[in-house]
Amino acid sequence: MNSPKEIAQNYIATGAAKTKLPAAKMLVLGILAGMFIALAGVGASLASVAGIASPSLAKLIGAAVFPVGLAMVLLAGSELFTGNCLIIIPVLQGEAKLAGMLKNWVLVYIGNFIGGLLVAALTVYGGTYSLFQGAAATGVINTAIAKVSMTFGDALIRGILCNFLVCIAVWIAFAAKDVVGKVAGLFLPIMLFVLSGYEHSIANMYYIPAGLFASKYSVYSASAGAVDPSKLPDLTWGAMISKNLIPVTLGNIVGGVLLVGVAYWFLYLREPKPAARPAGGNRKKRK
């Protein structure tokens, strides 16, 4: 396996290459990653219904399924905004430009959003959430409501913790030199962030639209009894952006950039400044 220092050194070229992709490729690769994460969300939501009588069991089952999303992102080839917070490493090393990193973030974020919306629409209007006598629809609607009901501060902090774990998962995956090792390495940190209820901006680009679509689609009206009607007015596109995506995205940036990218650059790549010579150190001694 690669040591932490080797991971840092190897990521310089990997991250720099991400900033040099053509814009169209960044966007399409972002769409694919958004779809991968969204589909993992679908699977996690449906799997958790099996433990609906026990909230902790439901959370554990869903958390065990969700890591398949990052596995697809890393192995199939795509661009995920949260993981790309590590591009700060080649920027600090002088091998990539800040403008290139920001361009990647913006285009990949937009692509991720498109991918999440696409899967949300296809699964909702394809009847996926009719499963389990409507319990699946109830779950996805209540999840969306919960995500737009947090305070700004809570969403920000949960975003920080989430992307700290996501970027650690990416970091560990880069330690492995084979597919099995990569999947095994990323599994536990991703499972941990889902189990802990932390907030992933790209996953929420699926979860919240899916809840919005399902709450307004007549096919799922039979499940409306299990949703608090007083909470439904809070579930809006505006609330999704202002109360979730903005604070969670900011938190994801802090968690990925500062706690992982900058930290590991400082530990393994930053060259210490040469010690200053004492004044007069080069003068010849007088006889």
Side-chain angles (χ1 to χ4, degrees), residues 135-161:
T138 300
V140 77
I141 295 169
N142 282 331
T143 295
I145 290 172
K147 287 183 177 295
V148 299
S149 300
M150 292 182 292
T151 65
F152 191 99
D154 284 350
L156 178 72
I157 293 170
R158 293 185 192 186
I160 292 172
L161 291 169

mmCIF file with all atom_site columns, all heavy atoms in Angstrom, residues 135-161:
data_model
loop_
_atom_site.group_PDB
_atom_site.id
_atom_site.type_symbol
_atom_site.label_atom_id
_atom_site.label_alt_id
_atom_site.label_comp_id
_atom_site.label_asym_id
_atom_site.label_entity_id
_atom_site.label_seq_id
_atom_site.pdbx_PDB_ins_code
_atom_site.Cartn_x
_atom_site.Cartn_y
_atom_site.Cartn_z
_atom_site.occupancy
_atom_site.B_iso_or_equiv
_atom_site.pdbx_formal_charge
_atom_site.auth_seq_id
_atom_site.auth_comp_id
_atom_site.auth_asym_id
_atom_site.auth_atom_id
_atom_site.pdbx_PDB_model_num
ATOM 1   N N   . ALA A 1 135 ? -44.238 2.979  2.298  1.00 0.00 ? 135 ALA A N   1
ATOM 2   C CA  . ALA A 1 135 ? -43.294 3.345  3.357  1.00 0.00 ? 135 ALA A CA  1
ATOM 3   C C   . ALA A 1 135 ? -42.052 4.004  2.782  1.00 0.00 ? 135 ALA A C   1
ATOM 4   O O   . ALA A 1 135 ? -41.443 4.873  3.414  1.00 0.00 ? 135 ALA A O   1
ATOM 5   C CB  . ALA A 1 135 ? -42.906 2.106  4.173  1.00 0.00 ? 135 ALA A CB  1
ATOM 6   N N   . ALA A 1 136 ? -41.672 3.596  1.575  1.00 0.00 ? 136 ALA A N   1
ATOM 7   C CA  . ALA A 1 136 ? -40.494 4.191  0.943  1.00 0.00 ? 136 ALA A CA  1
ATOM 8   C C   . ALA A 1 136 ? -40.737 5.665  0.639  1.00 0.00 ? 136 ALA A C   1
ATOM 9   O O   . ALA A 1 136 ? -39.852 6.502  0.829  1.00 0.00 ? 136 ALA A O   1
ATOM 10  C CB  . ALA A 1 136 ? -40.151 3.435  -0.334 1.00 0.00 ? 136 ALA A CB  1
ATOM 11  N N   . ALA A 1 137 ? -41.944 5.994  0.148  1.00 0.00 ? 137 ALA A N   1
ATOM 12  C CA  . ALA A 1 137 ? -42.275 7.388  -0.144 1.00 0.00 ? 137 ALA A CA  1
ATOM 13  C C   . ALA A 1 137 ? -42.304 8.216  1.131  1.00 0.00 ? 137 ALA A C   1
ATOM 14  O O   . ALA A 1 137 ? -41.795 9.340  1.179  1.00 0.00 ? 137 ALA A O   1
ATOM 15  C CB  . ALA A 1 137 ? -43.623 7.469  -0.858 1.00 0.00 ? 137 ALA A CB  1
ATOM 16  N N   . THR A 1 138 ? -42.903 7.662  2.171  1.00 0.00 ? 138 THR A N   1
ATOM 17  C CA  . THR A 1 138 ? -42.929 8.360  3.459  1.00 0.00 ? 138 THR A CA  1
ATOM 18  C C   . THR A 1 138 ? -41.519 8.681  3.934  1.00 0.00 ? 138 THR A C   1
ATOM 19  O O   . THR A 1 138 ? -41.231 9.790  4.386  1.00 0.00 ? 138 THR A O   1
ATOM 20  C CB  . THR A 1 138 ? -43.639 7.501  4.520  1.00 0.00 ? 138 THR A CB  1
ATOM 21  O OG1 . THR A 1 138 ? -44.975 7.253  4.106  1.00 0.00 ? 138 THR A OG1 1
ATOM 22  C CG2 . THR A 1 138 ? -43.635 8.198  5.867  1.00 0.00 ? 138 THR A CG2 1
ATOM 23  N N   . GLY A 1 139 ? -40.637 7.690  3.797  1.00 0.00 ? 139 GLY A N   1
ATOM 24  C CA  . GLY A 1 139 ? -39.266 7.883  4.241  1.00 0.00 ? 139 GLY A CA  1
ATOM 25  C C   . GLY A 1 139 ? -38.547 8.980  3.500  1.00 0.00 ? 139 GLY A C   1
ATOM 26  O O   . GLY A 1 139 ? -37.872 9.819  4.109  1.00 0.00 ? 139 GLY A O   1
ATOM 27  N N   . VAL A 1 140 ? -38.673 9.006  2.164  1.00 0.00 ? 140 VAL A N   1
ATOM 28  C CA  . VAL A 1 140 ? -37.936 10.000 1.389  1.00 0.00 ? 140 VAL A CA  1
ATOM 29  C C   . VAL A 1 140 ? -38.495 11.403 1.612  1.00 0.00 ? 140 VAL A C   1
ATOM 30  O O   . VAL A 1 140 ? -37.745 12.388 1.631  1.00 0.00 ? 140 VAL A O   1
ATOM 31  C CB  . VAL A 1 140 ? -37.928 9.632  -0.117 1.00 0.00 ? 140 VAL A CB  1
ATOM 32  C CG1 . VAL A 1 140 ? -39.247 9.942  -0.799 1.00 0.00 ? 140 VAL A CG1 1
ATOM 33  C CG2 . VAL A 1 140 ? -36.788 10.351 -0.837 1.00 0.00 ? 140 VAL A CG2 1
ATOM 34  N N   . ILE A 1 141 ? -39.806 11.514 1.836  1.00 0.00 ? 141 ILE A N   1
ATOM 35  C CA  . ILE A 1 141 ? -40.397 12.828 2.115  1.00 0.00 ? 141 ILE A CA  1
ATOM 36  C C   . ILE A 1 141 ? -39.957 13.335 3.486  1.00 0.00 ? 141 ILE A C   1
ATOM 37  O O   . ILE A 1 141 ? -39.559 14.498 3.647  1.00 0.00 ? 141 ILE A O   1
ATOM 38  C CB  . ILE A 1 141 ? -41.939 12.771 2.021  1.00 0.00 ? 141 ILE A CB  1
ATOM 39  C CG1 . ILE A 1 141 ? -42.386 12.458 0.589  1.00 0.00 ? 141 ILE A CG1 1
ATOM 40  C CG2 . ILE A 1 141 ? -42.550 14.096 2.476  1.00 0.00 ? 141 ILE A CG2 1
ATOM 41  C CD1 . ILE A 1 141 ? -43.866 12.122 0.452  1.00 0.00 ? 141 ILE A CD1 1
ATOM 42  N N   . ASN A 1 142 ? -40.019 12.470 4.480  1.00 0.00 ? 142 ASN A N   1
ATOM 43  C CA  . ASN A 1 142 ? -39.613 12.879 5.831  1.00 0.00 ? 142 ASN A CA  1
ATOM 44  C C   . ASN A 1 142 ? -38.119 13.210 5.899  1.00 0.00 ? 142 ASN A C   1
ATOM 45  O O   . ASN A 1 142 ? -37.707 14.108 6.636  1.00 0.00 ? 142 ASN A O   1
ATOM 46  C CB  . ASN A 1 142 ? -39.958 11.784 6.836  1.00 0.00 ? 142 ASN A CB  1
ATOM 47  C CG  . ASN A 1 142 ? -41.435 11.774 7.203  1.00 0.00 ? 142 ASN A CG  1
ATOM 48  O OD1 . ASN A 1 142 ? -42.096 12.810 7.177  1.00 0.00 ? 142 ASN A OD1 1
ATOM 49  N ND2 . ASN A 1 142 ? -41.964 10.611 7.538  1.00 0.00 ? 142 ASN A ND2 1
ATOM 50  N N   . THR A 1 143 ? -37.308 12.496 5.123  1.00 0.00 ? 143 THR A N   1
ATOM 51  C CA  . THR A 1 143 ? -35.879 12.801 5.072  1.00 0.00 ? 143 THR A CA  1
ATOM 52  C C   . THR A 1 143 ? -35.648 14.203 4.524  1.00 0.00 ? 143 THR A C   1
ATOM 53  O O   . THR A 1 143 ? -34.854 14.982 5.065  1.00 0.00 ? 143 THR A O   1
ATOM 54  C CB  . THR A 1 143 ? -35.141 11.770 4.198  1.00 0.00 ? 143 THR A CB  1
ATOM 55  O OG1 . THR A 1 143 ? -35.225 10.487 4.819  1.00 0.00 ? 143 THR A OG1 1
ATOM 56  C CG2 . THR A 1 143 ? -33.670 12.153 4.025  1.00 0.00 ? 143 THR A CG2 1
ATOM 57  N N   . ALA A 1 144 ? -36.361 14.537 3.443  1.00 0.00 ? 144 ALA A N   1
ATOM 58  C CA  . ALA A 1 144 ? -36.218 15.864 2.841  1.00 0.00 ? 144 ALA A CA  1
ATOM 59  C C   . ALA A 1 144 ? -36.663 16.960 3.807  1.00 0.00 ? 144 ALA A C   1
ATOM 60  O O   . ALA A 1 144 ? -36.006 18.002 3.928  1.00 0.00 ? 144 ALA A O   1
ATOM 61  C CB  . ALA A 1 144 ? -37.030 15.929 1.548  1.00 0.00 ? 144 ALA A CB  1
ATOM 62  N N   . ILE A 1 145 ? -37.767 16.725 4.513  1.00 0.00 ? 145 ILE A N   1
ATOM 63  C CA  . ILE A 1 145 ? -38.256 17.715 5.479  1.00 0.00 ? 145 ILE A CA  1
ATOM 64  C C   . ILE A 1 145 ? -37.220 17.943 6.575  1.00 0.00 ? 145 ILE A C   1
ATOM 65  O O   . ILE A 1 145 ? -36.943 19.082 6.967  1.00 0.00 ? 145 ILE A O   1
ATOM 66  C CB  . ILE A 1 145 ? -39.599 17.252 6.083  1.00 0.00 ? 145 ILE A CB  1
ATOM 67  C CG1 . ILE A 1 145 ? -40.709 17.320 5.027  1.00 0.00 ? 145 ILE A CG1 1
ATOM 68  C CG2 . ILE A 1 145 ? -39.973 18.116 7.291  1.00 0.00 ? 145 ILE A CG2 1
ATOM 69  C CD1 . ILE A 1 145 ? -42.025 16.709 5.471  1.00 0.00 ? 145 ILE A CD1 1
ATOM 70  N N   . ALA A 1 146 ? -36.640 16.850 7.069  1.00 0.00 ? 146 ALA A N   1
ATOM 71  C CA  . ALA A 1 146 ? -35.642 16.971 8.136  1.00 0.00 ? 146 ALA A CA  1
ATOM 72  C C   . ALA A 1 146 ? -34.439 17.773 7.670  1.00 0.00 ? 146 ALA A C   1
ATOM 73  O O   . ALA A 1 146 ? -33.861 18.563 8.440  1.00 0.00 ? 146 ALA A O   1
ATOM 74  C CB  . ALA A 1 146 ? -35.215 15.580 8.591  1.00 0.00 ? 146 ALA A CB  1
ATOM 75  N N   . LYS A 1 147 ? -34.055 17.613 6.414  1.00 0.00 ? 147 LYS A N   1
ATOM 76  C CA  . LYS A 1 147 ? -32.868 18.281 5.899  1.00 0.00 ? 147 LYS A CA  1
ATOM 77  C C   . LYS A 1 147 ? -33.074 19.784 5.715  1.00 0.00 ? 147 LYS A C   1
ATOM 78  O O   . LYS A 1 147 ? -32.098 20.539 5.737  1.00 0.00 ? 147 LYS A O   1
ATOM 79  C CB  . LYS A 1 147 ? -32.418 17.615 4.591  1.00 0.00 ? 147 LYS A CB  1
ATOM 80  C CG  . LYS A 1 147 ? -31.781 16.246 4.815  1.00 0.00 ? 147 LYS A CG  1
ATOM 81  C CD  . LYS A 1 147 ? -31.289 15.631 3.523  1.00 0.00 ? 147 LYS A CD  1
ATOM 82  C CE  . LYS A 1 147 ? -30.593 14.297 3.784  1.00 0.00 ? 147 LYS A CE  1
ATOM 83  N NZ  . LYS A 1 147 ? -29.356 14.435 4.566  1.00 0.00 ? 147 LYS A NZ  1
ATOM 84  N N   . VAL A 1 148 ? -34.298 20.233 5.514  1.00 0.00 ? 148 VAL A N   1
ATOM 85  C CA  . VAL A 1 148 ? -34.542 21.671 5.373  1.00 0.00 ? 148 VAL A CA  1
ATOM 86  C C   . VAL A 1 148 ? -35.023 22.290 6.688  1.00 0.00 ? 148 VAL A C   1
ATOM 87  O O   . VAL A 1 148 ? -35.374 23.471 6.726  1.00 0.00 ? 148 VAL A O   1
ATOM 88  C CB  . VAL A 1 148 ? -35.556 21.972 4.251  1.00 0.00 ? 148 VAL A CB  1
ATOM 89  C CG1 . VAL A 1 148 ? -35.035 21.469 2.916  1.00 0.00 ? 148 VAL A CG1 1
ATOM 90  C CG2 . VAL A 1 148 ? -36.934 21.376 4.553  1.00 0.00 ? 148 VAL A CG2 1
ATOM 91  N N   . SER A 1 149 ? -35.034 21.501 7.749  1.00 0.00 ? 149 SER A N   1
ATOM 92  C CA  . SER A 1 149 ? -35.520 21.994 9.043  1.00 0.00 ? 149 SER A CA  1
ATOM 93  C C   . SER A 1 149 ? -34.400 22.268 10.037 1.00 0.00 ? 149 SER A C   1
ATOM 94  O O   . SER A 1 149 ? -34.652 22.679 11.163 1.00 0.00 ? 149 SER A O   1
ATOM 95  C CB  . SER A 1 149 ? -36.495 20.975 9.650  1.00 0.00 ? 149 SER A CB  1
ATOM 96  O OG  . SER A 1 149 ? -37.612 20.775 8.794  1.00 0.00 ? 149 SER A OG  1
ATOM 97  N N   . MET A 1 150 ? -33.150 22.025 9.622  1.00 0.00 ? 150 MET A N   1
ATOM 98  C CA  . MET A 1 150 ? -32.019 22.294 10.507 1.00 0.00 ? 150 MET A CA  1
ATOM 99  C C   . MET A 1 150 ? -31.702 23.779 10.558 1.00 0.00 ? 150 MET A C   1
ATOM 100 O O   . MET A 1 150 ? -32.017 24.521 9.636  1.00 0.00 ? 150 MET A O   1
ATOM 101 C CB  . MET A 1 150 ? -30.774 21.538 10.004 1.00 0.00 ? 150 MET A CB  1
ATOM 102 C CG  . MET A 1 150 ? -30.849 20.037 10.112 1.00 0.00 ? 150 MET A CG  1
ATOM 103 S SD  . MET A 1 150 ? -29.306 19.264 9.561  1.00 0.00 ? 150 MET A SD  1
ATOM 104 C CE  . MET A 1 150 ? -29.369 19.640 7.824  1.00 0.00 ? 150 MET A CE  1
ATOM 105 N N   . THR A 1 151 ? -31.036 24.192 11.635 1.00 0.00 ? 151 THR A N   1
ATOM 106 C CA  . THR A 1 151 ? -30.532 25.552 11.685 1.00 0.00 ? 151 THR A CA  1
ATOM 107 C C   . THR A 1 151 ? -29.316 25.660 10.773 1.00 0.00 ? 151 THR A C   1
ATOM 108 O O   . THR A 1 151 ? -28.693 24.648 10.412 1.00 0.00 ? 151 THR A O   1
ATOM 109 C CB  . THR A 1 151 ? -30.117 25.939 13.111 1.00 0.00 ? 151 THR A CB  1
ATOM 110 O OG1 . THR A 1 151 ? -28.994 25.121 13.512 1.00 0.00 ? 151 THR A OG1 1
ATOM 111 C CG2 . THR A 1 151 ? -31.265 25.738 14.093 1.00 0.00 ? 151 THR A CG2 1
ATOM 112 N N   . PHE A 1 152 ? -28.964 26.889 10.412 1.00 0.00 ? 152 PHE A N   1
ATOM 113 C CA  . PHE A 1 152 ? -27.789 27.116 9.558  1.00 0.00 ? 152 PHE A CA  1
ATOM 114 C C   . PHE A 1 152 ? -26.542 26.545 10.217 1.00 0.00 ? 152 PHE A C   1
ATOM 115 O O   . PHE A 1 152 ? -25.720 25.889 9.573  1.00 0.00 ? 152 PHE A O   1
ATOM 116 C CB  . PHE A 1 152 ? -27.625 28.620 9.315  1.00 0.00 ? 152 PHE A CB  1
ATOM 117 C CG  . PHE A 1 152 ? -26.623 28.964 8.246  1.00 0.00 ? 152 PHE A CG  1
ATOM 118 C CD1 . PHE A 1 152 ? -27.044 29.261 6.965  1.00 0.00 ? 152 PHE A CD1 1
ATOM 119 C CD2 . PHE A 1 152 ? -25.252 29.006 8.531  1.00 0.00 ? 152 PHE A CD2 1
ATOM 120 C CE1 . PHE A 1 152 ? -26.126 29.593 5.968  1.00 0.00 ? 152 PHE A CE1 1
ATOM 121 C CE2 . PHE A 1 152 ? -24.323 29.326 7.546  1.00 0.00 ? 152 PHE A CE2 1
ATOM 122 C CZ  . PHE A 1 152 ? -24.763 29.618 6.256  1.00 0.00 ? 152 PHE A CZ  1
ATOM 123 N N   . GLY A 1 153 ? -26.410 26.786 11.525 1.00 0.00 ? 153 GLY A N   1
ATOM 124 C CA  . GLY A 1 153 ? -25.224 26.321 12.238 1.00 0.00 ? 153 GLY A CA  1
ATOM 125 C C   . GLY A 1 153 ? -25.112 24.812 12.286 1.00 0.00 ? 153 GLY A C   1
ATOM 126 O O   . GLY A 1 153 ? -24.030 24.243 12.098 1.00 0.00 ? 153 GLY A O   1
ATOM 127 N N   . ASP A 1 154 ? -26.237 24.145 12.536 1.00 0.00 ? 154 ASP A N   1
ATOM 128 C CA  . ASP A 1 154 ? -26.222 22.682 12.566 1.00 0.00 ? 154 ASP A CA  1
ATOM 129 C C   . ASP A 1 154 ? -25.820 22.119 11.208 1.00 0.00 ? 154 ASP A C   1
ATOM 130 O O   . ASP A 1 154 ? -25.014 21.185 11.118 1.00 0.00 ? 154 ASP A O   1
ATOM 131 C CB  . ASP A 1 154 ? -27.596 22.137 12.952 1.00 0.00 ? 154 ASP A CB  1
ATOM 132 C CG  . ASP A 1 154 ? -27.885 22.287 14.439 1.00 0.00 ? 154 ASP A CG  1
ATOM 133 O OD1 . ASP A 1 154 ? -26.955 22.633 15.198 1.00 0.00 ? 154 ASP A OD1 1
ATOM 134 O OD2 . ASP A 1 154 ? -29.041 22.059 14.845 1.00 0.00 ? 154 ASP A OD2 1
ATOM 135 N N   . ALA A 1 155 ? -26.408 22.669 10.148 1.00 0.00 ? 155 ALA A N   1
ATOM 136 C CA  . ALA A 1 155 ? -26.097 22.183 8.798  1.00 0.00 ? 155 ALA A CA  1
ATOM 137 C C   . ALA A 1 155 ? -24.629 22.419 8.459  1.00 0.00 ? 155 ALA A C   1
ATOM 138 O O   . ALA A 1 155 ? -23.978 21.565 7.838  1.00 0.00 ? 155 ALA A O   1
ATOM 139 C CB  . ALA A 1 155 ? -26.999 22.878 7.773  1.00 0.00 ? 155 ALA A CB  1
ATOM 140 N N   . LEU A 1 156 ? -24.093 23.568 8.863  1.00 0.00 ? 156 LEU A N   1
ATOM 141 C CA  . LEU A 1 156 ? -22.682 23.889 8.606  1.00 0.00 ? 156 LEU A CA  1
ATOM 142 C C   . LEU A 1 156 ? -21.756 22.890 9.300  1.00 0.00 ? 156 LEU A C   1
ATOM 143 O O   . LEU A 1 156 ? -20.838 22.335 8.678  1.00 0.00 ? 156 LEU A O   1
ATOM 144 C CB  . LEU A 1 156 ? -22.384 25.307 9.092  1.00 0.00 ? 156 LEU A CB  1
ATOM 145 C CG  . LEU A 1 156 ? -20.936 25.783 8.929  1.00 0.00 ? 156 LEU A CG  1
ATOM 146 C CD1 . LEU A 1 156 ? -20.621 26.038 7.465  1.00 0.00 ? 156 LEU A CD1 1
ATOM 147 C CD2 . LEU A 1 156 ? -20.696 27.054 9.751  1.00 0.00 ? 156 LEU A CD2 1
ATOM 148 N N   . ILE A 1 157 ? -22.002 22.643 10.582 1.00 0.00 ? 157 ILE A N   1
ATOM 149 C CA  . ILE A 1 157 ? -21.141 21.739 11.344 1.00 0.00 ? 157 ILE A CA  1
ATOM 150 C C   . ILE A 1 157 ? -21.245 20.310 10.827 1.00 0.00 ? 157 ILE A C   1
ATOM 151 O O   . ILE A 1 157 ? -20.231 19.602 10.688 1.00 0.00 ? 157 ILE A O   1
ATOM 152 C CB  . ILE A 1 157 ? -21.489 21.804 12.844 1.00 0.00 ? 157 ILE A CB  1
ATOM 153 C CG1 . ILE A 1 157 ? -21.114 23.191 13.395 1.00 0.00 ? 157 ILE A CG1 1
ATOM 154 C CG2 . ILE A 1 157 ? -20.780 20.704 13.623 1.00 0.00 ? 157 ILE A CG2 1
ATOM 155 C CD1 . ILE A 1 157 ? -21.620 23.458 14.786 1.00 0.00 ? 157 ILE A CD1 1
ATOM 156 N N   . ARG A 1 158 ? -22.446 19.873 10.515 1.00 0.00 ? 158 ARG A N   1
ATOM 157 C CA  . ARG A 1 158 ? -22.612 18.520 9.976  1.00 0.00 ? 158 ARG A CA  1
ATOM 158 C C   . ARG A 1 158 ? -21.945 18.389 8.602  1.00 0.00 ? 158 ARG A C   1
ATOM 159 O O   . ARG A 1 158 ? -21.464 17.324 8.239  1.00 0.00 ? 158 ARG A O   1
ATOM 160 C CB  . ARG A 1 158 ? -24.089 18.165 9.884  1.00 0.00 ? 158 ARG A CB  1
ATOM 161 C CG  . ARG A 1 158 ? -24.771 18.029 11.238 1.00 0.00 ? 158 ARG A CG  1
ATOM 162 C CD  . ARG A 1 158 ? -26.207 17.549 11.106 1.00 0.00 ? 158 ARG A CD  1
ATOM 163 N NE  . ARG A 1 158 ? -26.931 17.700 12.355 1.00 0.00 ? 158 ARG A NE  1
ATOM 164 C CZ  . ARG A 1 158 ? -28.163 17.248 12.560 1.00 0.00 ? 158 ARG A CZ  1
ATOM 165 N NH1 . ARG A 1 158 ? -28.790 16.614 11.583 1.00 0.00 ? 158 ARG A NH1 1
ATOM 166 N NH2 . ARG A 1 158 ? -28.762 17.417 13.727 1.00 0.00 ? 158 ARG A NH2 1
ATOM 167 N N   . GLY A 1 159 ? -21.914 19.487 7.867  1.00 0.00 ? 159 GLY A N   1
ATOM 168 C CA  . GLY A 1 159 ? -21.215 19.483 6.583  1.00 0.00 ? 159 GLY A CA  1
ATOM 169 C C   . GLY A 1 159 ? -19.707 19.364 6.760  1.00 0.00 ? 159 GLY A C   1
ATOM 170 O O   . GLY A 1 159 ? -19.038 18.670 5.992  1.00 0.00 ? 159 GLY A O   1
ATOM 171 N N   . ILE A 1 160 ? -19.169 20.044 7.781  1.00 0.00 ? 160 ILE A N   1
ATOM 172 C CA  . ILE A 1 160 ? -17.727 19.960 8.061  1.00 0.00 ? 160 ILE A CA  1
ATOM 173 C C   . ILE A 1 160 ? -17.340 18.524 8.398  1.00 0.00 ? 160 ILE A C   1
ATOM 174 O O   . ILE A 1 160 ? -16.402 17.949 7.821  1.00 0.00 ? 160 ILE A O   1
ATOM 175 C CB  . ILE A 1 160 ? -17.349 20.892 9.218  1.00 0.00 ? 160 ILE A CB  1
ATOM 176 C CG1 . ILE A 1 160 ? -17.513 22.364 8.812  1.00 0.00 ? 160 ILE A CG1 1
ATOM 177 C CG2 . ILE A 1 160 ? -15.903 20.633 9.680  1.00 0.00 ? 160 ILE A CG2 1
ATOM 178 C CD1 . ILE A 1 160 ? -17.348 23.349 9.967  1.00 0.00 ? 160 ILE A CD1 1
ATOM 179 N N   . LEU A 1 161 ? -18.077 17.922 9.311  1.00 0.00 ? 161 LEU A N   1
ATOM 180 C CA  . LEU A 1 161 ? -17.757 16.563 9.747  1.00 0.00 ? 161 LEU A CA  1
ATOM 181 C C   . LEU A 1 161 ? -17.929 15.556 8.615  1.00 0.00 ? 161 LEU A C   1
ATOM 182 O O   . LEU A 1 161 ? -17.138 14.614 8.474  1.00 0.00 ? 161 LEU A O   1
ATOM 183 C CB  . LEU A 1 161 ? -18.645 16.186 10.937 1.00 0.00 ? 161 LEU A CB  1
ATOM 184 C CG  . LEU A 1 161 ? -18.346 16.954 12.229 1.00 0.00 ? 161 LEU A CG  1
ATOM 185 C CD1 . LEU A 1 161 ? -19.442 16.722 13.258 1.00 0.00 ? 161 LEU A CD1 1
ATOM 186 C CD2 . LEU A 1 161 ? -16.996 16.553 12.794 1.00 0.00 ? 161 LEU A CD2 1
#
